[in-house]
Amino acid sequence: MKDKTTEYISDAEMHRQREYIDKIHAEVERAGRVPLAFVETYGCQQNTSDSEKIKGMLADMGFDFCDKPDDADFILYNTCAVRENAELRVFGNLGALKNIKRRRENIIIAVCGCMMQQEHIAKRIKAKYKHVDLVFGTHALYRFPQLLDSVMAGGRIFDVENGDGAVFEDISYKRDGIPLAKIPIMYGCNNFCTYCIVPYVRGRERSRSADRILSEVKDVASKGYREVMLLGQNVNSYGNDLESGLNFPQLLREVCRVDGIERVRFMTSHPKDISDELISVMASEKKICNQLHLPVQSGSDRVLKLMNRKYTAEQYLNIVKKVKEAIPDIVLTTDIIVGFPGETNEDFEETVKILKTMEYDTIFSFIFSKREGTPAAKMEDCLTDEEKHKNFDRMLEVQNEISRRKNEAYKGTVQKVLIEGTSKTNEEAMTGRTEGGKVVNFKGGCCSVGQMVDVKITDARTWSLIGEVVKQNLTN
Ligand code: SAH
Ligand code: SF4
Ligand code: F3S
């Protein structure tokens, strides 16, 4: 199988990086104390997956992990640039580290991820955050062992490059626990929605070869993972950049063939790339979860055009109609932006209308945030901040009522729940997800993480369901 554009980091280069890992490991052993790393991740699942790779490298170097920067020898923030508030939090956290560095000057402070791919940010850190020892961008991730080695030798390193960045393989992940494994199937984005920074900080679409993806799925299955989430900024355009090989629906079919994997999810899908083939594979493959995250962003055709989303509200409605016909119990979620430049109150009403028509289970909604270098940053606003916030609050009110109503409908039903852990709010309770991805909290005791159990839903909240176990699944 020949890849048209996907460039991989060579085996020789990865071997060189592994030598740095071994070198640091030897130094750690010599020091006779296990160093602690604190890694905090912002942003989307792609970043979470990148952090799992970095943590894998750190674990191979002999690091253990801690929950507080105060305890750490190595502190890393893996950053997100998608909205301004994510960036402000990183700067706030970095500022607070000045004191820790003053007290313990041997600690190493590092920042990586999407924010660092923006020149003005990297420059600002270089000039104003002198206690930061290492800055590296998304494309330099595979070089992390070498960069850390240089910093340990006393350097202050900035390694940010533009371009697309080659894909690297063969590293050990330190994944978040069983049962869910996140597997990137492609990197970057070609869509250039006018508000979005992602194509600038993550480069163009690069699909991994199906062979490599499938061997990773088999690997996680052999390690006891029951569910995989296939990741990409636009997963359903998977393979468009490859000369030959599988398209996304075909890849999904192959992933479903892997023994041991019981659930397959994917995100994010772009409406323009939802094909009939994809809908029919989703409907026919039992392992593919009845869940679709399909960002609509706005209900106004005028705004969708300004956003460069490449569909109209009617086209979107028709796609969802087809999906619902094929998979009647689909759990549908979306992303919405309120206050896009040029959006009027009439445009906003179209968004409220589409929410009422679609009846999404959940929405992820954001007030537009100006991103330097994107076309929307130069567009003129129609509404004041106050009007935008008022619209935002009203939209949430409308949606919360819908979400609550949709969850109420689950009362009395029995759902298959894959257990993910103990509940965040009550240690005696277990938490897991339905096939549709809804969080269910229920009394534990009988079962363990990674098990599939039948749970009767007894109560509903806006964001989650409450239940009790009626049967442990015999396949466990
Ligand atoms: N590739 C995915 C995810 C992109 S980022 C997709 O296409 O859906 C996740 C969400 O953040 C987007 O769907 C959008 O709703 C929101 N977003 C992106 N840029 C934004 C901006 N500048 N201001 C506010 N929200 C934004
Ligand atoms: Fe951003 Fe649009 Fe690409 Fe999603 S599809 S990452 S919103 S440019
Ligand atoms: Fe943020 Fe980068 Fe993801 S900008 S949303 S972490 S790809």
Side-chain angles (χ1 to χ4, degrees), residues 42-47 79-83 113-115 138 197-198 201-202 233:
Y42 298 84
C44 65
Q45 303 280 355
Q46 289 283 351
N47 254 20
T79 63
C80 168
V82 85
R83 281 173 294 275
C114 295
M115 251 174 99
T138 53
I197 196 79
V198 171
V201 295
R202 287 275 176 178
Q233 291 301 341

Side-chain angles (χ1 to χ4, degrees), residues 6-65:
T6 304
E7 191 195 327
Y8 288 96
I9 301 294
S10 70
D11 290 348
E13 176 58 26
M14 289 314 291
H15 181 74
R16 225 167 62 77
Q17 295 303 325
R18 269 191 298 275
E19 284 178 348
Y20 283 107
I21 291 180
D22 293 343
K23 184 176 168 210
I24 296 174
H25 191 236
E27 282 170 35
V28 163
E29 294 231 301
R30 225 173 296 129
R33 186 181 72 86
V34 176
L36 295 178
F38 170 83
V39 178
E40 185 150 289
T41 311
Y42 298 84
C44 65
Q45 303 280 355
Q46 289 283 351
N47 254 20
T48 310
S49 170
D50 283 352
S51 285
E52 289 181 348
K53 292 182 187 173
I54 297 172
K55 284 194 236 169
M57 298 186 218
L58 285 165
D60 286 351
M61 292 169 191
F63 279 82
D64 210 341
F65 297 90

Side-chain angles (χ1 to χ4, degrees), residues 387-403:
E387 284 171 308
K388 290 180 187 180
H389 280 95
K390 212 171 124 216
N391 286 345
F392 187 79
D393 291 346
R394 189 158 78 78
M395 181 188 65
L396 285 190
E397 232 172 78
V398 169
Q399 180 56 40
N400 285 348
E401 196 274 319
I402 297 171
S403 296

Side-chain angles (χ1 to χ4, degrees), residues 189-193 195-199 233-234 270 297 309:
C189 182
N190 290 354
N191 289 325
F192 289 95
C193 304
Y195 49 80
C196 185
I197 196 79
V198 171
Q233 291 301 341
N234 186 9
H270 194 294
Q297 312 297 358
R309 286 295 289 180

Side-chain angles (χ1 to χ4, degrees), residues 170-239:
D170 301 327
I171 36 105
S172 38
Y173 280 86
K174 182 162 171 36
R175 293 183 194 275
D176 289 346
I178 283 172
L180 169 64
K182 301 176 197 86
I183 303 204
I185 62 167
M186 59 190 299
Y187 300 91
C189 182
N190 290 354
N191 289 325
F192 289 95
C193 304
T194 53
Y195 49 80
C196 185
I197 196 79
V198 171
Y200 303 88
V201 295
R202 287 275 176 178
R204 295 297 69 67
E205 288 178 5
R206 286 99 65 204
S207 300
R208 289 175 72 194
S209 80
D211 292 348
R212 291 173 196 245
I213 295 166
L214 288 168
S215 46
E216 193 174 332
V217 175
K218 285 177 193 151
D219 179 56
V220 296
S222 74
K223 291 179 172 140
Y225 287 87
R226 315 292 294 274
E227 181 172 317
V228 287
M229 185 184 279
L230 307 181
L231 294 180
Q233 291 301 341
N234 186 9
V235 271
N236 47 344
S237 71
Y238 170 82

Side-chain angles (χ1 to χ4, degrees), residues 303-401:
V303 173
L304 286 169
K305 195 151 196 305
L306 287 172
M307 287 177 164
N308 190 29
R309 286 295 289 180
K310 305 181 182 92
Y311 53 82
T312 61
E314 192 185 346
Q315 284 164 338
Y316 182 94
L317 291 176
N318 285 336
I319 295 162
V320 172
K321 196 163 154 244
K322 276 200 234 171
V323 173
K324 284 186 170 171
E325 270 163 19
I327 314 156
D329 61 348
I330 191 91
V331 170
L332 194 66
T333 56
T334 202
D335 291 348
I336 303 278
I337 297 178
V338 174
F340 184 81
E343 184 182 76
T344 61
N345 283 324
E346 290 74 51
D347 293 315
F348 171 72
E349 290 309 320
E350 295 292 315
T351 299
V352 173
K353 196 166 121 198
I354 211 164
L355 292 184
K356 288 183 174 166
T357 316
M358 292 280 85
E359 298 207 305
Y360 295 104
D361 288 83
T362 306
I363 65 167
F364 300 88
S365 48
F366 314 98
I367 290 185
F368 170 74
S369 169
K370 201 181 256 196
R371 305 286 67 210
E372 201 173 305
T374 62
K378 296 197 198 79
M379 297 180 188
E380 299 257 328
D381 265 344
C382 286
L383 301 178
T384 62
D385 281 356
E386 200 187 339
E387 284 171 308
K388 290 180 187 180
H389 280 95
K390 212 171 124 216
N391 286 345
F392 187 79
D393 291 346
R394 189 158 78 78
M395 181 188 65
L396 285 190
E397 232 172 78
V398 169
Q399 180 56 40
N400 285 348
E401 196 274 319

